[in-house]
Amino acid sequence: MMRSIALRLRTAPRRFPERLARFSTAMKTTSTDPLSLKVFEDLRDMKDAGTFKTERVIISPQRAKISVENRKEEVINMCANNYLGLSSDPELIEAAKEAMDTHGLGLSSVRFICGTQDIHKELEEKISNFHQTEDTILYPSCFDANAGFFETVLTKEDAIISDALNHASIIDGVRLCKAARFRFDHMCMKSLEENLIAAKDARIKMIATDGVFSMDGDIAPLDEICALAEKHGAYVFVDECHATGFIGPTGRGTPELKGVMDKVLVITSTLGKALGGATGGGNTRPP
């Protein structure tokens, strides 16, 4: 699969957007500036490698068939995370309009100063009830939820044991904290146990994994992971962005699918994929 993706990247049209083409041309003429020179060289290298990405501008709501700029006919959209088709659901759109009428567009503040409204608390309670957890903290995105968790909870006395193919937001969150870092081979329980043994002297041992790995669709063996966590006195953290809402008998994600809803310490997830929201995420934990 990765070879085919790499081949498509190499053979894809290498078209710079007009504004970046102008930008790179301008930088070329001022190449004595080290920052401009570096940015120009980086853009050139990405273009030569076939990894430079251009925006596909959608001029319709997000859905299975979309309209894009410079095409008369609709195209089939197979790359969104709109798993349940809720991004353009009429009921959700109407509810969003009503919320703006009653609570405004934004708060112009962080939550702990004057940025928490009753609807935030109501949403946190509903998410907790859905996941059958004690409480939930909302973040602007799950990327932020992952970044905020590890640094807040873990210190240099602790250890994180992370799946090798975890999402970049987990990796960035791990980098922000001072805990010792261990990486186990993707979904390999032998490798996980070896790393748990290596981290045996840590005060807190936190196993971090995606529930569903978005690139290949692998589902983490959470039942086996939780069994090893219990054996070695560790905790389990799961990112459920690509599982919440549609994995498991009632859509409660990988912990429900694997029968370990009461064994996972922290679940992070998003409102911006299967649940249809523009953004938003949070972390939630059992009682």
Side-chain angles (χ1 to χ4, degrees):
M1 178 178 180
M2 297 308 296
R3 287 197 193 96
S4 65
I5 292 173
L7 180 61
R8 288 199 296 272
L9 285 172
R10 287 196 297 271
T11 58
R14 298 170 183 175
R15 180 178 61 84
F16 273 74
E18 184 179 346
R19 62 183 184 277
L20 276 177
R22 290 198 302 268
F23 182 50
S24 61
T25 300
M27 286 190 295
K28 188 186 294 186
T29 62
T30 58
S31 59
T32 55
D33 172 15
L35 176 59
S36 297
L37 179 61
K38 178 188 182 301
V39 174
F40 172 74
E41 290 175 346
D42 288 347
L43 290 171
R44 182 196 61 201
D45 291 345
M46 285 188 283
K47 184 181 177 184
D48 290 344
T51 58
F52 186 87
K53 296 180 180 179
T54 60
E55 295 173 338
R56 296 170 176 84
V57 181
I58 302 172
I59 56 176
S60 68
Q62 184 71 278
R63 54 197 179 202
K65 290 185 177 182
I66 55 175
S67 299
V68 296
E69 276 190 349
N70 303 318
R71 287 186 71 110
K72 292 182 179 179
E73 68 278 7
E74 288 187 320
V75 297
I76 297 174
N77 182 2
M78 299 183 69
C79 54
N81 300 309
N82 187 22
Y83 301 119
L84 299 177
L86 295 178
S87 292
S88 55
D89 181 81
E91 284 189 55
L92 293 185
I93 293 171
E94 188 58 36
K97 291 177 181 177
E98 291 176 6
M100 284 190 285
D101 288 340
T102 58
H103 287 75
L105 180 62
L107 287 161
S108 304
S109 173
V110 296
R111 283 193 61 172
F112 65 86
I113 296 179
C114 59
T116 298
Q117 292 179 316
D118 56 339
I119 53 176
H120 294 120
K121 302 303 292 182
E122 180 184 353
L123 179 56
E124 287 174 338
E125 183 178 358
K126 287 186 175 181
I127 292 172
S128 299
N129 290 339
F130 176 72
H131 285 288
Q132 299 176 11
T133 52
E134 179 183 12
D135 203 358
T136 296
I137 301 174
L138 290 174
Y139 286 80
S141 69
C142 190
F143 209 111
D144 291 319
N146 286 345
F149 173 74
F150 297 102
E151 184 181 18
T152 304
V153 175
L154 303 175
T155 65
K156 62 182 180 180
E157 291 82 17
D158 308 315
I160 302 168
I161 305 96
S162 182
D163 188 289
L165 295 187
N166 274 341
H167 189 268
S169 58
I170 297 177
I171 296 170
D172 285 354
V174 170
R175 286 173 177 163
L176 287 171
C177 81
K178 296 180 179 179
R181 305 167 195 170
F182 298 83
R183 188 173 70 170
F184 65 96
D185 296 339
H186 178 50
M187 299 201 321
C188 175
M189 296 303 97
K190 181 176 182 292
S191 177
L192 173 57
E193 184 158 34
E194 288 171 351
N195 279 276
L196 283 166
I197 293 170
K200 62 182 175 62
D201 294 328
R203 177 184 60 182
I204 297 170
K205 297 180 285 294
M206 185 73 64
I207 302 170
T209 182
D210 283 355
V212 174
F213 293 83
S214 60
M215 293 304 293
D216 295 313
D218 296 336
I219 298 178
L222 276 187
D223 48 348
E224 299 176 54
I225 291 173
C226 288
L228 284 176
E230 188 170 352
K231 177 180 177 181
H232 292 276
Y235 301 95
V236 178
F237 165 102
V238 184
D239 181 324
E240 285 287 276
C241 282
H242 293 274
T244 296
F246 64 101
I247 294 292
T250 62
R252 287 175 168 82
T254 318
E256 182 186 40
L257 180 69
K258 297 296 184 177
V260 290
M261 290 184 66
D262 60 337
K263 297 184 183 301
V264 172
L265 176 70
V266 174
I267 296 170
T268 60
S269 194
T270 181
L271 304 173
K273 291 184 170 62
L275 301 185
T279 183
N283 53 42
T284 188
R285 61 150 295 167

